[in-house]
Amino acid sequence: MSKSKMPESDPEHKNSVKDIFSAARTEFGQNGLSGARIADIAKRCGKTRQLIYHYYESKEDLFAEVVWDSLQTSLSNMLAEDYDSMEPMAAFYRFLYTMSEQYRLHPDFVSIMLEESIQGGLHISSRKKLRAVSQPVIDTLRRIIERGAASGVFRRDIELEKLYAASFAVLSASSLTGGVLSAVLCVDMQSESGMDDWRDYAIEFVMKSVRAPNVEARAMPLRADRTPAEQL
């Protein structure tokens, strides 16, 4: 747990934490928890090791803070869109698109979250506010799906949290396992165009899974290079 003795409103505190966080995210993103060194983080941000230890008890404590910050950033980005103003299919499309772009917008998150998964979600699961942070995203998805079901375009038997988990797994595949899959299957999931193609395919795949039986496939937005409004 961080142990700063300075008030969080202190400008020096804010600037120091910002610099340390930026350097730590890069260091953990490149080298993982085991390979990262406080000395290298200090060198990256131009701070002393002593100052970093003034704020954080250990390297693991700093890693936990970086994981938590990365998760909050991604979830905040997921909530930035005005989904309630869109038609259900357009809203779900935009929700999936925004989800799919998080690792591409923040490539350091990939290694950080893989490391956290190896750790069994230890640093995230210990957070008392975890559900408070994640619940608004789940509630947003629930409203989209419920509106779609009420209008007859989505199935009514969708298990919401399983849908979220499955969507994330499919959409993040190019970032998390793209290198291996590209080699094994001879499918390009690493180049920019290859990642775009996978995103398009994954979004279409997930959207088809929620579509009501009586809704034609052509009613689903398929292309990620157009806005939902242009596709519906």
Side-chain angles (χ1 to χ4, degrees):
M1 182 176 295
S2 58
K3 58 176 184 178
S4 171
K5 300 181 181 66
M6 283 186 176
E8 292 190 1
S9 59
D10 187 289
E12 184 179 349
H13 168 91
K14 289 184 176 180
N15 290 334
S16 294
V17 169
K18 181 179 179 180
D19 292 342
I20 292 170
F21 253 64
S22 178
R25 182 178 288 115
T26 300
E27 181 69 16
F28 288 129
Q30 292 181 359
N31 300 304
L33 176 58
S34 61
R37 298 173 63 243
I38 290 294
D40 292 332
I41 294 172
K43 185 176 180 180
R44 283 182 184 276
C45 63
K47 308 295 182 183
T48 64
R49 293 175 58 189
Q50 289 76 14
L51 181 62
I52 294 176
Y53 283 120
H54 173 79
Y55 292 123
Y56 305 98
E57 294 179 352
S58 64
K59 180 176 70 172
E60 287 72 19
D61 181 36
L62 177 53
F63 178 75
E65 293 296 323
V66 169
V67 169
W68 182 240
D69 182 72
S70 299
L71 178 65
Q72 288 182 297
T73 297
S74 293
L75 294 178
S76 294
N77 290 342
M78 291 291 297
L79 295 173
E81 299 282 348
D82 184 14
Y83 302 107
D84 291 339
S85 68
M86 306 175 192
E87 293 296 323
M89 278 197 288
F92 190 43
Y93 175 93
R94 180 54 61 185
F95 185 91
L96 295 175
Y97 184 93
T98 304
M99 176 187 284
S100 72
E101 291 298 282
Q102 291 312 298
Y103 282 148
R104 296 180 72 176
L105 291 171
H106 307 284
D108 289 337
F109 289 6
V110 176
S111 297
I112 291 169
M113 290 306 177
L114 281 173
E115 181 77 33
E116 177 65 1
S117 293
I118 292 172
Q119 298 289 326
L122 174 66
H123 305 94
I124 290 179
S125 61
S126 64
R127 293 283 176 166
K128 294 181 180 179
K129 295 182 179 180
L130 176 59
R131 198 63 185 182
V133 170
S134 62
Q135 192 61 48
V137 178
I138 300 300
D139 290 342
T140 296
L141 178 59
R142 177 178 289 106
R143 289 196 301 273
I144 294 171
I145 296 301
E146 288 179 349
R147 287 195 295 119
S151 64
V153 296
F154 292 158
R155 292 168 26 220
R156 292 182 176 274
D157 60 343
I158 295 171
E159 296 183 71
L160 199 72
E161 296 203 3
K162 288 183 179 179
L163 171 62
Y164 186 96
S167 299
F168 180 81
V170 174
L171 290 165
S172 64
S174 62
S175 294
L176 299 179
T177 59
V180 173
L181 292 175
S182 294
V184 173
L185 302 176
C186 297
V187 174
D188 177 15
M189 297 175 68
Q190 291 186 291
S191 70
E192 287 298 314
S193 60
M195 294 177 76
D196 286 345
D197 287 343
W198 178 257
R199 177 195 59 203
D200 293 353
Y201 175 83
I203 290 176
E204 179 183 358
F205 182 87
V206 174
M207 293 197 73
K208 282 183 177 180
S209 75
V210 304
R211 189 180 67 232
N214 62 325
V215 176
E216 297 181 10
R218 61 180 174 80
M220 305 296 283
L222 303 180
R223 295 187 49 139
D225 59 340
R226 296 180 184 174
T227 65
E230 292 173 328
Q231 299 184 71
L232 297 177

